[in-house]
Amino acid sequence: MTDIKVGGLIRVPADLLIAAALVILTLILTLVESMTDLWVRVPVGLIMVLFLPGYALIAALFPRDDDLDGIERAALSFGLSIAVVPLIGLGLNYTPWGIRLAPVVVSLSIFTIALLAAAHVRRSMLPPEERFQVPFRRSLNSLKEEITTDQTSRVDKILTVVLVIAIISSISALVYVIVTPKEGEKFTEFYILGPGGMAYDYPTRVSAGERSTVIVGIGNHEYQLTNYTIHLEFNNATILEMEATLDHNETWEEPISYVLDDLGEGQKLQFLLYREGNFTAAYRDLHLWVDVSARDISARDLPEETLAQRFRLI
């Protein structure tokens, strides 16, 4: 089949068109917010990162059919992609955009599309018989002939069909493993932060009747929607109760204020976390050792008549 020239260039070869289409699809799946959760995003992204940049570079460097054979092109495509992607990431590290998903995908897309265009131009400059092209139609016709021709033995036909099914099954299994996240360990984060949001400066020395504040956080990694109940207990008495419902990988943080009245040193202030209404035993348990002292009465805390009396006595 003779290639058709358009404006001095041959019609875009099928392999370059497919590569360009995959690049555009990757951009859409990455930048369009409504499509970022589609399962196809992972396999397309892997092809984009591990194969397409290297394939475009090889296509631009070796446009002749006899430059490399198919296995060499495939192997170099993977190898060069693994080499090129980190270099692009390193370059982005010194730009205002940094190494983030959107800049990385856009940079890879520009790099790949530019090389695909260069490959198209270089192939157009060669005679038709010297241009590299992926024999999609020839391979399909050969497979079809292998299955349907009467000259092929029945055993060969069966083996060919089994081979095709095995290849399709292997690819399907690989895609399934990639897009199906493996369920890891189930756990819940439960933590306390000081009033400034840091893991220090806890109110461990307070005055009776004084309001204290800490930040309590919960991180759900249970792989399901979970209902939590928090009990704040002091001297085995519940002084505060809160509830939170979190989805998987969701985090909850809220400031909790409380007042302690029982005087004493080294008293245990407990933060108990219960899960799914099971109050037989705390699912997570945190505590602070608190010293509660009598409240200091300063001049600003005294009533006006008391201040007047004090001044009259001086």
Side-chain angles (χ1 to χ4, degrees):
M1 180 177 176
T2 305
D3 291 315
I4 301 174
K5 289 196 174 186
V6 180
L9 295 176
I10 62 170
R11 185 176 57 186
V12 181
D15 62 319
L16 302 184
L17 273 178
I18 293 173
L22 287 173
V23 171
I24 295 172
L25 180 60
T26 305
L27 280 173
I28 294 173
L29 293 173
T30 303
L31 302 180
V32 179
E33 187 174 353
S34 59
M35 303 185 71
T36 55
D37 293 330
L38 295 179
W39 67 268
V40 73
R41 181 175 179 232
V42 175
V44 171
L46 287 176
I47 294 173
M48 177 66 190
V49 172
L50 299 178
F51 183 76
L52 290 182
Y55 183 82
L57 181 57
I58 290 297
L61 292 176
F62 304 103
R64 295 180 181 274
D65 187 43
D66 57 356
D67 286 336
L68 297 169
D69 60 30
I71 295 177
E72 291 173 335
R73 286 181 184 272
L76 287 174
S77 297
F78 282 107
L80 288 177
S81 294
I82 295 172
V84 165
V85 172
L87 291 176
I88 293 178
L90 181 62
L92 285 173
N93 188 48
Y94 296 97
T95 67
W97 302 287
I99 305 177
R100 293 182 292 112
L101 178 61
V104 168
V105 173
V106 171
S107 301
L108 281 177
S109 300
I110 294 173
F111 175 84
T112 305
I113 291 294
L115 288 176
L116 291 175
H120 178 41
V121 171
R122 294 201 65 191
R123 289 186 191 179
S124 301
M125 299 170 62
L126 297 174
E129 62 275 7
E130 296 182 11
R131 299 170 192 153
F132 171 75
Q133 58 181 349
V134 179
F136 292 110
R137 182 175 299 178
R138 188 172 60 195
S139 299
L140 184 60
N141 290 336
S142 176
L143 178 62
K144 184 179 179 181
E145 182 180 353
E146 184 74 19
I147 296 175
T148 58
T149 182
D150 293 334
Q151 297 178 355
T152 306
S153 68
R154 187 173 181 179
V155 174
D156 290 340
K157 291 181 181 180
I158 293 174
L159 291 176
T160 302
V161 172
V162 170
L163 178 61
V164 172
I165 294 174
I167 294 173
I168 295 174
S169 300
S170 300
I171 295 174
S172 301
L174 177 62
V175 171
Y176 175 78
V177 169
I178 292 173
V179 303
T180 304
K182 183 180 179 181
E183 189 172 299
E185 181 184 359
K186 297 180 180 181
F187 66 97
T188 294
E189 295 179 81
F190 187 43
Y191 54 90
I192 306 173
L193 303 175
M198 306 297 289
Y200 64 89
D201 195 25
Y202 297 105
T204 56
R205 294 179 179 272
V206 301
S207 299
E210 179 183 31
R211 183 169 295 275
S212 302
T213 301
V214 296
I215 297 175
V216 176
I218 304 173
N220 179 11
H221 303 284
E222 303 285 350
Y223 290 88
Q224 62 181 2
L225 186 72
T226 307
N227 300 308
Y228 296 100
T229 303
I230 303 170
H231 282 185
L232 183 58
E233 294 189 0
F234 186 62
N235 290 336
N236 297 322
T238 301
I239 61 175
L240 185 65
E241 180 176 328
M242 298 185 69
E243 294 183 350
T245 300
L246 305 179
D247 206 346
H248 175 60
N249 277 339
E250 188 176 357
T251 301
W252 176 92
E253 276 190 10
E254 288 291 336
I256 293 180
S257 298
Y258 53 88
V259 176
L260 305 180
D261 294 316
D262 296 343
L263 302 181
E265 295 184 356
Q267 300 185 83
K268 191 174 185 180
L269 177 63
Q270 289 184 289
F271 298 81
L272 305 178
L273 181 68
Y274 298 93
R275 178 171 169 264
E276 297 296 348
N278 182 7
F279 298 103
T280 56
Y283 186 56
R284 295 288 184 268
D285 181 0
L286 301 172
H287 64 270
L288 295 174
W289 295 105
V290 182
D291 296 338
V292 182
S293 58
R295 186 177 185 184
D296 294 331
I297 301 177
S298 60
R300 65 175 179 274
D301 296 321
L302 295 174
E304 292 182 4
E305 56 271 20
T306 304
L307 286 174
Q309 292 172 1
R310 290 182 63 186
F311 284 122
R312 283 197 298 268
L313 293 174
I314 296 176

